C-alpha cells in the first residue's frame, strides 16, 4: 500500500481502532489480569472508558500534543491503557524496560524530554525519584500500585486512580478537546517510540508511525489468519517492539484478548490457566521449559519414563511431518494418535500449550532438538526474523514450511536484498520513520530509497527459498589464517546443550578459537544432585572436575560437527574455561534482551583470554559484580583452563 | 503512669504518629516452681509502634511474649489492654481481642496449602456454625468469599502468589516464616507479636522480612511487639526497645538510648572496647 491511496474509513490510529473495537466487540473481553488469585476482566467497552478517563486526567494535568509519556512497569492492562491514553491526547508513549537501572532510565527520560511518567509501583517510582534531580523536563509521576507510596511527597506525583477520577470530573470541560486531539491523529503521525537495547553504545529511540504499526499488524494478522478469538499472554517486556506489536498492534487490529500474569513468578501457572492460542517466546523460554520437563521425567516412575521416551521417539519421527502435512506411514500415524492421548496431550496441557494455534520464536537461533520437540508434540511453532526498526516482521515461516535452521520467507509487503558483503537489507511498510534526534544514525541505517541494513549476515537457502541468518555482520570476521570466523554460529551450537547456558567464542584475528562458557545451574545442579556430587556454590559447581569433563565432551562434539563444514572447520574451539559467574545484564555483559556484548566481555575478561591463549592451566581472577539493588561487590576465583579435542584437517581427510 | 501521659500521642523521628498506650504491663512476675522467669517487670506498648524485647538467651523474652499472648498467667502483676485490666484468659480469648502471633519454631500445618494455612488465621472472624458450614450455600459461602478476599490481599502484600497452592511442607524455611506472618496478619490484629521473626535466616531473607514488618506497620498501622536476637535488625526496626536480663528489665527506651545505657552494654552487647 502506498501513501496516496489510503483505504477509505480504515482506522488510522490505535485510538481509532479502540473506538472501532468498543463498537464492534463491545462485550468481548479485551484484557484479563490475575489479581488476588482471580482473573479480572475488562471488555473492549470497559477499556475504552478506562482509557478515556485516564486521557482526560492527563489532559487536565497539562499533557500537550507531541509530548513523550514514559511508561515503566510489568505487563499490566492499566499500563497498556496508559499508552493508548497518551496517544488519545496526541502524545507519544515511550515504554521502558522495567529492569532498567537508574542511569538507563535517566538517559531515556532526558533524551525524549518526557514530562510525564507512568510507573507501575514503588520500585519504579523510587528509581525515577533517584534520578529526578538531573532531569529538567520531568514534571509528574503517575503511579499505579499505591503500596508504600502513601507517605511520599505528592506535589509532583499522583496515583493512577486519582488521575482517572480527576479526568472523570473534568469530562464536561475537556472531552471536546480530547476528541479533537484524537481525531487529529494522522496515519503518518508517531504511534510509539521504542528504545533499542543496543548491543553497542547508547540506546536509540526508534520512531514508529501509525502506518508502520497498523499495516504491519494487518499484514501479519492476515498471514496467520488471526481473529478476535485469539488469547495471548503478555509477559515479555513492554518496551520490546514484539510486545507492542502482539499486545497492542495485532490485539487492537484483530480485537483479541490480552492476558497479563499475576507476577513474573507465576507466569507458568498463568500460562497454563489461560492456554493461549497465539504465543511468542524467545528460544530461551522454550529451552528452559524443555529442561524442566526432562528433569521432571528423570524423577518420574519407571513406567512413566518408559512411556515418555517411547512416545517421544514417535513424536520426533512423525510429529513434524504430520504438522507439515507430509506423508507418514500408517503405523506411525496410529502410534502418534495413541501418544496424543497418553503423553502429548497431558504434556501440552501441563505446559499451557493445549490451544496454541500459532507459536513463534525469534531473537536467537533455536536448537534443532528443542524445535523438533515442540513441533513433535503437535505445537505449530515457527520462526520469524525481525527487528525494532521493521516493526518486528522481516521474514516469517508459513504453516507447513517450517525448518529449524531458517527464518522464513519475506513477510507480506517486505522486500529483501542481500548485499555483496552478505548483509541482509529490507524495505517494508513497517520500516521505521527515524531514530529520534539522531539524523546521523538514521542516515547510516536507512538509505533514501528506504532500504534498511539489518546488521545481520545471511543468505537465501536454495532448497527452501527461505532466509538463513549466520551471524551479526560485524561479528563475522577472519582468523589470522584468513579462514571465516562466525562466533555466534559456534556459540549457538554450544548453547544447544542444556548444560550450557551461555557461551562466548573469541578468535577474530587470532590463530585459533577459544571459548568461555556458563553452566546452566538448573540442568547441571540437577545432574549433580542425581550423581551425588556435593557443591557449595555456583562457583564451586562450575569448577568441579566432572562438570569440566562434561563440558569438554560437549565442546569436542561441537568441534566434530564443525569439522564437517569446510567453511567453518577453522572455528573449532581449541581451549576453553567455565566462568565463575553467570553473565548478567546488570554487569553490562548482556543486553536487556540477553544478547552477549562481545566488546565489553573481551575487555572485562582480558586476563582470562590472555590465559586461554597462553599455555596456562589455571588462572586466578577477580570480577566486580553488581547486585540487583545496585550495590557492587567482588568475587574471586581460580579457574581451570581446559584443552578441547580438535578434529584436525589431516584426520578429516582420512575419514573422508 | 498517669492517664494523661498514657493517651498523649508521640511523634517519631520519621514522622509517624505513635498513639496512646495499647497494652500496659504492670509489675509482672512469672514463676515456674522456684524459678523466677520474669521479675517485676513493667513496660507499655503504644498504638502504632514497633516495640522490641531483647536480651540474652534465657532472659525471659519468650515468657514475656507468652504472658502478652495469654499462654502464661503471671503470678503477680496486671496486664492492661486498651485501658482495661485483663482478667486471666485462654489464648483463644486473647486472639479474639485482636492479638495475633508467630512462633519461634514455625507452627504451620505442613500438609495444607499456603492458602489454607493463611485461611486458618481468619478463624476468629468466622461466625457461621458447623451446620451452616455443612449446608455451605448462602451465609457460609458469602463468609468464605469475604475471608478469601482478605487473605488474597495479604498474599499479594507479602508477594507469595506463586506458592499459593503449594503445600507448606515443601517450602524453604524463609518462606515458611513469611507464611506464618501472613497467617498472623489474616487475623487483622491490633497487636502483632513476632517471636524471633528473623531466626535462622540469611541476609537477604532478613532484609525481606524487615521490609515486610515495616510495611505492615506502615500500611495497616498494626502495632508490633517483637523478640529478636539480631541487634542490627532490632535497632533499625524498632521505635522503642525493652532490654531484659535474667528476668529483670535493665533498659527501656529508643534504640539510641538503649545503646548508650551502660548496664545494657555490659549485659548484652558485651563490654565496649575502646
Amino acid at each position: 500500500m502506498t501513501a496516496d491511496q489510503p483505504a477509505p474509513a480504515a482506522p488510522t490510529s490505535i485510538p481509532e481502532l479502540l473506538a472501532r473495537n468498543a463498537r464492534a466487540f463491545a462485550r468481548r473481553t479485551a484484557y484479563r489480569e490475575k489479581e488476588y488469585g482471580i482473573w479480572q476482566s475488562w471488555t473492549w467497552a470497559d477499556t475504552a472508558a478506562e482509557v478515556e478517563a485516564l486521557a482526560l486526567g492527563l489532559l487536565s494535568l497539562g499533557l500537550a500534543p507531541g509530548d513523550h509519556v514514559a511508561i515503566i512497569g510489568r505487563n499490566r492492562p492499566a499500563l497498556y491503557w496508559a499508552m493508548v491514553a497518551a496517544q488519545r491526547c496526541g502524545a507519544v508513549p515511550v515504554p521502558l524496560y522495567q529492569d532498567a537501572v537508574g542511569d538507563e532510565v535517566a538517559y531515556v527520560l532526558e533524551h525524549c524530554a518526557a514530562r510525564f511518567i507512568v510507573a507501575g509501583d514503588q520500585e519504579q517510582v523510587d528509581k525515577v525519584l533517584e534520578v529526578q534531580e538531573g532531569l529538567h523536563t520531568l514534571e509528574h509521576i503517575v503511579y499505579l500500585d499505591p503500596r508504600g507510596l502513601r507517605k511520599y511527597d505528592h506535589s509532583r506525583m499522583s496515583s493512577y486512580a486519582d488521575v482517572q477520577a480527576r479526568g472523570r470530573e473534568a469530562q464536561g470541560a475537556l472531552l471536546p478537546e480530547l476528541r479533537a486531539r484524537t481525531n487529529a491523529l494522522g496515519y503518518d503521525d508517531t504511534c510509539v517510540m521504542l528504545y533499542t537495547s543496543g548491543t553497542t553504545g547508547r540506546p536509540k529511540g526508534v520512531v514508529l508511525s501509525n502506518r508502520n504499526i497498523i499495516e504491519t499488524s494487518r499484514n501479519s494478522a492476515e498471514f496467520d489468519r488471526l481473529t478476535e478469538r485469539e488469547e495471548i499472554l503478555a509477559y515479555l517486556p513492554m518496551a520490546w517492539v514484539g510486545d507492542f506489536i502482539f499486545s497492542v498492534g495485532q490485539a487492537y487490529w484483530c480485537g483479541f484478548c490480552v492476558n497479563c500474569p499475576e507476577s513474573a513468578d507465576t507466569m507458568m501457572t498463568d500460562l497454563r490457566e489461560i492456554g493461549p492460542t497465539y504465543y511468542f517466546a524467545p528460544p530461551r523460554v522454550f529451552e528452559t521449559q524443555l529442561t524442566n520437563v526432562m528433569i521432571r521425567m528423570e524423577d518420574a516412575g519407571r513406567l512413566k519414563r518408559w512411556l515418555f521416551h517411547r512416545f517421544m521417539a514417535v513424536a520426533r519421527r512423525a510429529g513434524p511431518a504430520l504438522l507439515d502435512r507430509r506423508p507418514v506411514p500408517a503405523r506411525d500415524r496410529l502410534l502418534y494418535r495413541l501418544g496424543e492421548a497418553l503423553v502429548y496431550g497431558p504434556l501440552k496441557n501441563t505446559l499451557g500449550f493445549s490451544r496454541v494455534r500459532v507459536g513463534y520464536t525469534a531473537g536467537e537461533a533455536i536448537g534443532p532438538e528443542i524445535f523438533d520437540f515442540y513441533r513433535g508434540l503437535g505445537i505449530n511453532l515457527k520462526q520469524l526474523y525481525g527487528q525494532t526498526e521493521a516493526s518486528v516482521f522481516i521474514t516469517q515461516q508459513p504453516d507447513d514450511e517450517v525448518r529449524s535452521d531458517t527464518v522464513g520467507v519475506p513477510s507480506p509487503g517486505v522486500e529483501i536484498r542481500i548485499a555483496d558483503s552478505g548483509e541482509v537489507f529490507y524495505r517494508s511498510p513497517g520500516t521505521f520513520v527515524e531514530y529520534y534526534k539522531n539524523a546521523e544514525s538514521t542516515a547510516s541505517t536507512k538509505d533514501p530509497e528506504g532500504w534498511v541494513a539489518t546488521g545481520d549476515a545471511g543468505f537465501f537457502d536454495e532448497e527452501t527459498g527461505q532466509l538463513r541468518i549466520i551471524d551479526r555482520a560485524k561479528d563475522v570476521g577472519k582468523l589470522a589464517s584468513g579462514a571465516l570466523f562466525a562466533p555466534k554460529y559456534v556459540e549457538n551450537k554450544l548453547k544447544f546443550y542444556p548444560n550450557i547456558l551461555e557461551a562466548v567464542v573469541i578468535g577474530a584475528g587470532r590463530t585459533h578459537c577459544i571459548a568461555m562458557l556458563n553452566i546452566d545451574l538448573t540442568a547441571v545442579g540437577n545432574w549433580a544432585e542425581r550423581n551425588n556430587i556435593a557443591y557449595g556454590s555456583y562457583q564451586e559447581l562450575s569448577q568441579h572436575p566432572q562438570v569440566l569433563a562434561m563440558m569438554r565432551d560437549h565442546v569436542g562434539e561441537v568441534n566434530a560437527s564443525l569439522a564437517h563444514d569446510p567453511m567453518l572447520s577453522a572455528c573449532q574451539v581449541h581451549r576453553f574455561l567455565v566462568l565463575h559467574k553467570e553473565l548478567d545484564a546488570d554487569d553490562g555483559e548482556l543486553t536487556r534482551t540477553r544478547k552477549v556484548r562481545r566488546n565489553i566481555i573481551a575487555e572485562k575478561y582480558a586476563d582470562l583470554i590472555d590465559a586461554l591463549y597462553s599455555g596456562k592451566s589455571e588462572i586466578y581472577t577477580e570480577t566486580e559484580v553488581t547486585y540487583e539493588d545496585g550495590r557492587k561487590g567482588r568475587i574471586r576465583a581460580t579457574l581451570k583452563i581446559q584443552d578441547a579435542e580438535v578434529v584436525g584437517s589431516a584426520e578429516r581427510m582420512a575419514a573422508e | 503512669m498517669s492517664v494523661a501521659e498514657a493517651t498523649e500521642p508521640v511523634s517519631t523521628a520519621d514522622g509517624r504518629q505513635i498513639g496512646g498506650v495499647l497494652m500496659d504491663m504492670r509489675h509482672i512476675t512469672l514463676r515456674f516452681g522456684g524459678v523466677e522467669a520474669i521479675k517485676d517487670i513493667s513496660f507499655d506498648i503504644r498504638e502504632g509502634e514497633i516495640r522490641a524485647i531483647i536480651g540474652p538467651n534465657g532472659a525471659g523474652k519468650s515468657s514475656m511474649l507468652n504472658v502478652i499472648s495469654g499462654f502464661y498467667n503471671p503470678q503477680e502483676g496486671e496486664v492492661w489492654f486498651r485501658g482495661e485490666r485483663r482478667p486471666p484468659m485462654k489464648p483463644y480469648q486473647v486472639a479474639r481481642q485482636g492479638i495475633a502471633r508467630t512462633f519461634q519454631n514455625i507452627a504451620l500445618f505442613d500438609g495444607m496449602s499456603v492458602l489454607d494455612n493463611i485461611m486458618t488465621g481468619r478463624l476468629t472472624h468466622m461466625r457461621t456454625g458447623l451446620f451452616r458450614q455443612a449446608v455451605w450455600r448462602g451465609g457460609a459461602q458469602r463468609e468464605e468469599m469475604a475471608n478469601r478476599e482478605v487473605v488474597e490481599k495479604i498474599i499479594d502484600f507479602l508477594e507469595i502468589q506463586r506458592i499459593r497452592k503449594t503445600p507448606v511442607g515443601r517450602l524453604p524455611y524463609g518462606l515458611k516464616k513469611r507464611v506464618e506472618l501472613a497467617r498472623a496478619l489474616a487475623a487483622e490484629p491490633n497487636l502483632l507479636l513476632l517471636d524471633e521473626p528473623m531466626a535462622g535466616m540469611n541476609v537477604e531473607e532478613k532484609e525481606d522480612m524487615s521490609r515486610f514488618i515495616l510495611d505492615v506497620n506502615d500500611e495497616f498501622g498494626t502495632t508490633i511487639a517483637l523478640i529478636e536476637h539480631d541487634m542490627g535488625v532490632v535497632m533499625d526496626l524498632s521505635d522503642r526497645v525493652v532490654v531484659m536480663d535474667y528476668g529483670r528489665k535493665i533498659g527501656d527506651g529508643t534504640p539510641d538510648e538503649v545503646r548508650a545505657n551502660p548496664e545494657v552494654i555490659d549485659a548484652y552487647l558485651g563490654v565496649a572496647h575502646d
Side-chain angles (χ1 to χ4, degrees):
Chain A
M1 177 165 292
T2 50
D4 51 356
Q5 42 174 220
T12 55
S13 67
I14 298 289
E16 267 187 58
L17 282 172
L18 173 60
R20 183 204 68 182
N21 291 347
R23 284 192 305 272
F25 308 124
R27 298 179 68 182
R28 281 199 83 86
T29 305
Y31 286 95
R32 253 187 233 112
E33 182 183 31
K34 198 172 189 188
E35 210 182 7
Y36 302 134
I38 293 170
W39 288 100
Q40 323 273 347
S41 38
W42 292 266
T43 64
W44 280 107
D46 297 338
T47 303
E50 295 277 358
V51 167
E52 185 160 288
L54 184 70
L56 288 165
L58 290 172
L59 214 56
S60 79
L61 286 171
L63 184 64
D67 272 353
H68 287 102
V69 177
I71 287 139
I72 185 162
R74 67 180 173 87
N75 311 64
R76 300 195 62 181
L79 294 185
Y80 286 109
W81 302 337
M83 294 212 260
V84 187
Q87 291 170 336
R88 284 213 58 180
C89 298
V92 177
V94 183
L96 306 182
Y97 283 94
Q98 59 162 326
D99 58 352
V101 294
D103 284 354
E104 294 165 345
V105 173
Y107 174 79
V108 171
L109 293 179
E110 185 75 57
H111 187 255
C112 71
R115 288 174 57 215
F116 291 86
I117 182 162
V118 182
D121 56 14
Q122 185 185 15
E123 186 189 341
Q124 305 296 352
V125 170
D126 284 346
K127 206 158 29 186
V128 178
L129 290 177
E130 192 184 301
V131 298
Q132 201 176 20
E133 284 294 294
L135 299 171
H136 310 296
T137 53
L138 191 70
E139 285 174 20
H140 209 88
I141 302 173
V142 178
Y143 58 83
L144 182 57
D145 183 353
R147 179 175 165 195
L149 289 165
R150 217 152 26 91
K151 299 205 171 113
Y152 281 47
D153 172 14
H154 272 61
S155 55
R156 298 173 70 187
M157 195 188 289
S158 331
S159 83
Y160 192 97
D162 286 347
V163 175
Q164 281 189 316
R166 195 177 163 148
R168 288 190 190 99
E169 262 171 43
Q171 187 172 19
L174 292 174
L175 196 57
E177 165 74 7
L178 182 66
R179 289 212 171 117
R181 287 208 200 169
T182 306
N183 290 335
L185 293 174
Y187 213 26
D188 288 303
D189 287 337
T190 304
C191 176
V192 66
M193 184 153 88
L194 302 164
Y195 279 81
T196 54
S197 49
T199 36
T200 49
R202 283 293 198 176
K204 289 179 279 194
V206 179
V207 175
L208 296 171
S209 66
N210 286 316
R211 176 188 303 277
N212 294 152
I213 297 297
I214 291 177
E215 300 217 348
T216 304
S217 300
R218 189 194 58 214
N219 288 342
S220 52
E222 282 169 4
F223 186 89
D224 282 312
R225 297 181 301 280
L226 302 178
T227 69
E228 74 276 10
R229 286 185 298 279
E230 311 303 334
E231 297 276 349
I232 64 164
L233 190 73
Y235 69 100
L236 289 159
M238 287 178 67
W240 176 62
V241 66
D243 188 61
F244 193 81
I245 287 287
F246 302 136
S247 305
V248 179
Q250 293 180 336
Y252 280 66
W253 176 263
C254 302
F256 62 66
C257 178
V258 176
N259 299 282
C260 298
E262 188 168 24
S263 70
D265 301 324
T266 59
M267 198 294 247
M268 284 302 162
T269 323
D270 297 335
L271 177 69
R272 193 179 160 192
E273 286 176 2
I274 287 300
T277 61
Y278 178 44
Y279 180 69
F280 178 94
R284 176 178 302 273
V285 171
F286 288 110
E287 270 170 47
T288 314
Q289 277 197 326
L290 176 58
T291 311
N292 288 341
V293 168
M294 288 307 181
I295 289 170
R296 280 169 64 180
M297 281 323 297
E298 294 293 341
D299 294 339
R302 269 172 119 183
L303 175 69
K304 279 189 190 163
R305 218 162 48 211
W306 178 82
L307 262 180
F308 177 77
H309 289 297
R310 176 79 183 74
F311 278 103
M312 282 320 296
V314 176
R316 265 191 299 277
R317 200 163 62 223
L322 280 168
L323 256 186
D324 288 351
R325 281 175 253 181
R326 279 182 276 129
V328 175
R331 190 180 114 86
D332 277 357
R333 210 176 270 272
L334 202 69
L335 276 174
Y336 190 87
R337 206 171 289 170
L338 189 62
E340 174 73 32
L342 291 173
V343 178
Y344 321 141
L347 181 57
K348 278 189 285 190
N349 188 22
T350 306
L351 296 173
F353 293 153
S354 290
R355 300 203 296 163
V356 171
R357 198 167 60 75
V358 181
Y360 274 112
T361 184
E364 294 274 338
I366 186 164
E369 291 84 11
I370 300 165
F371 197 64
D372 286 345
F373 172 82
Y374 290 100
R375 301 267 313 159
L377 287 177
I379 298 162
N380 185 20
L381 181 61
K382 310 194 284 181
Q383 299 201 68
L384 66 80
Y385 170 63
Q387 55 177 212
T388 310
E389 287 82 350
S391 313
V392 180
F393 294 96
I394 299 173
T395 65
Q396 57 196 127
Q397 293 178 326
D399 291 350
D400 311 345
E401 293 170 41
V402 179
R403 292 262 309 265
S404 70
D405 55 353
T406 66
V407 292
V409 298
S411 298
V414 179
E415 300 165 77
I416 292 185
R417 175 164 69 83
I418 311 273
D420 296 336
S421 63
E423 188 168 352
V424 179
F425 286 74
Y426 67 88
R427 185 161 72 174
S428 75
T431 302
F432 73 117
V433 179
E434 58 170 359
Y435 290 122
Y436 187 65
K437 291 203 276 198
N438 193 344
E440 198 184 321
S441 283
T442 310
S444 68
T445 310
K446 187 168 93 164
D447 72 13
E449 286 160 26
W451 288 99
V452 181
T454 58
D456 289 321
F459 61 90
F460 277 99
D461 191 275
E462 280 174 16
E463 188 191 334
T464 58
Q466 296 193 4
L467 187 67
R468 257 181 88 169
I469 300 291
I470 345 174
D471 203 340
R472 297 290 297 168
K474 67 173 170 46
D475 288 337
V476 175
K478 296 263 192 290
L479 291 169
S481 63
L484 185 72
F485 171 64
K488 187 111 160 254
Y489 187 81
V490 183
E491 287 162 9
N492 284 336
K493 272 188 176 295
L494 286 166
K495 279 157 65 178
F496 292 158
Y497 289 95
N499 294 328
I500 301 179
L501 181 71
E502 209 59 71
V504 184
V505 174
I506 288 161
R510 308 268 196 169
T511 51
H512 58 266
C513 294
I514 53 105
M516 296 190 282
L517 309 177
N518 263 169
I519 56 167
D520 186 319
L521 188 59
T522 321
V524 179
N526 193 271
W527 166 86
E529 201 173 291
R530 268 184 286 118
N531 291 285
N532 285 325
I533 292 168
Y535 63 97
S537 64
Y538 177 87
Q539 195 176 330
E540 194 182 329
L541 182 64
S542 73
Q543 300 304 313
H544 194 280
Q546 277 176 272
V547 172
L548 292 174
M550 177 167 80
M551 293 292 146
R552 196 162 50 233
D553 289 345
H554 290 340
V555 174
E557 283 165 32
V558 167
N559 285 344
S561 89
L562 284 170
H564 287 297
D565 194 333
M567 289 277 285
L568 294 163
S569 73
C571 294
Q572 292 183 56
V573 175
H574 288 238
R575 278 158 68 82
F576 73 93
L577 57 76
V578 179
L579 284 171
H580 50 299
K581 70 175 276 288
E582 270 190 32
L583 297 176
D584 197 327
D586 286 341
D587 293 326
E589 294 155 338
L590 302 176
T591 65
R592 290 284 161 205
T593 47
R594 299 197 66 96
K595 286 181 185 144
V596 167
R597 282 175 143 154
R598 224 165 276 286
N599 300 342
I600 291 176
I601 291 173
E603 214 170 279
K604 190 166 177 180
Y605 297 109
D607 55 335
L608 302 183
I609 295 168
D610 282 347
L612 281 160
Y613 278 110
S614 72
K616 284 184 193 162
S617 64
E618 59 175 41
I619 167 112
Y620 170 81
T621 188
E622 281 187 25
T623 315
E624 189 179 84
V625 291
T626 313
Y627 297 112
E628 268 186 19
D629 58 5
R631 282 182 303 173
K632 294 191 188 286
R634 299 189 75 80
I635 50 175
R636 298 166 187 81
T638 303
L639 306 181
K640 297 192 193 78
I641 294 175
Q642 302 288 307
D643 289 303
E645 204 170 310
V646 176
V647 182
S649 49
E651 247 180 279
R652 198 174 73 246
M653 299 280 214
E656 281 163 5
Chain B
M1 178 177 286
S2 72
V3 176
E5 223 178 74
T7 50
E8 190 185 326
V10 185
S11 219
T12 59
D14 57 350
R16 282 180 310 126
Q17 284 286 314
I18 303 287
V21 172
L22 179 71
M23 179 164 259
D24 197 9
M25 314 295 283
R26 297 185 187 170
H27 306 289
I28 303 285
T29 298
L30 179 71
R31 290 188 208 93
F32 298 107
V35 184
E36 279 201 318
I38 301 174
K39 293 172 199 152
D40 189 26
I41 288 191
S42 302
F43 69 94
D44 61 359
I45 300 169
R46 285 166 176 269
E47 233 163 278
E49 76 173 338
I50 301 182
R51 186 72 147 130
I53 305 172
I54 65 171
N57 278 331
K61 304 181 301 281
S62 286
S63 300
M64 196 68 212
L65 207 67
N66 280 323
V67 169
I68 300 176
S69 72
F71 191 70
Y72 294 147
N73 282 313
Q75 280 79 4
E76 286 166 35
E78 298 168 358
V79 178
W80 287 67
F81 185 61
R82 295 180 149 182
E84 280 173 38
R85 187 174 169 183
R86 193 172 82 184
M89 275 185 174
K90 297 271 183 236
Y92 73 87
Q93 292 169 312
V94 174
R96 284 255 156 104
Q97 286 199 323
I99 298 179
R101 68 169 298 177
T102 66
F103 296 84
Q104 191 173 343
N105 308 310
I106 295 165
L108 292 162
F109 303 102
D110 268 357
M112 274 160 55
S113 72
V114 167
L115 181 65
D116 290 341
N117 265 287
I118 303 174
M119 280 296 269
T120 60
R122 296 296 297 165
L123 202 63
T124 52
H125 295 262
M126 305 250 188
R127 292 287 172 270
T128 48
L130 182 65
F131 177 71
R132 282 172 69 196
Q133 291 274 353
V135 174
W136 171 245
R137 291 261 165 238
Q141 186 183 18
R142 271 197 301 279
E143 188 173 54
E144 174 152 344
M145 278 163 71
N147 284 322
R148 174 77 188 268
E149 195 178 335
V150 174
V151 168
E152 283 294 344
K153 288 200 169 134
I154 290 162
I155 288 178
D156 183 66
F157 186 83
L158 294 177
E159 294 163 17
I160 47 178
Q161 297 98 331
R162 70 180 186 287
I163 53 165
R164 187 185 281 128
K165 302 272 170 73
T166 313
V168 163
R170 289 210 332 236
L171 296 178
Y173 181 79
L175 274 179
K176 282 186 187 170
K177 280 274 193 191
R178 213 189 289 181
V179 174
E180 221 191 16
L181 176 61
R183 182 180 59 185
L185 282 179
E188 294 181 282
N190 305 109
L191 175 60
L192 178 63
L193 308 175
L194 305 174
D195 195 351
E196 303 214 9
M198 325 271 176
M201 286 187 168
N202 64 31
V203 177
E204 198 181 327
E205 287 168 335
K206 277 183 189 170
E207 280 177 0
D208 279 350
M209 188 52 100
S210 305
R211 190 165 57 81
F212 286 127
I213 291 173
L214 287 171
D215 281 354
V216 165
N217 177 249
D218 188 45
E219 200 82 352
F220 305 133
T222 311
T223 311
I224 296 172
L226 64 93
I227 294 177
E228 186 48 61
H229 260 329
D230 190 317
M231 286 304 285
V233 169
V234 170
M235 295 307 185
D236 287 349
L237 279 182
S238 348
D239 298 308
R240 291 189 305 154
V241 182
V242 177
V243 191
M244 292 176 70
D245 192 20
Y246 293 112
R248 293 177 307 119
K249 179 168 100 170
I250 58 169
D252 189 353
T254 65
D256 288 336
E257 285 165 12
V258 165
R259 217 172 309 188
N261 182 334
E263 209 182 337
V264 174
I265 296 172
D266 283 356
Y268 188 64
L269 301 173
V271 178
H273 300 278
D274 298 69

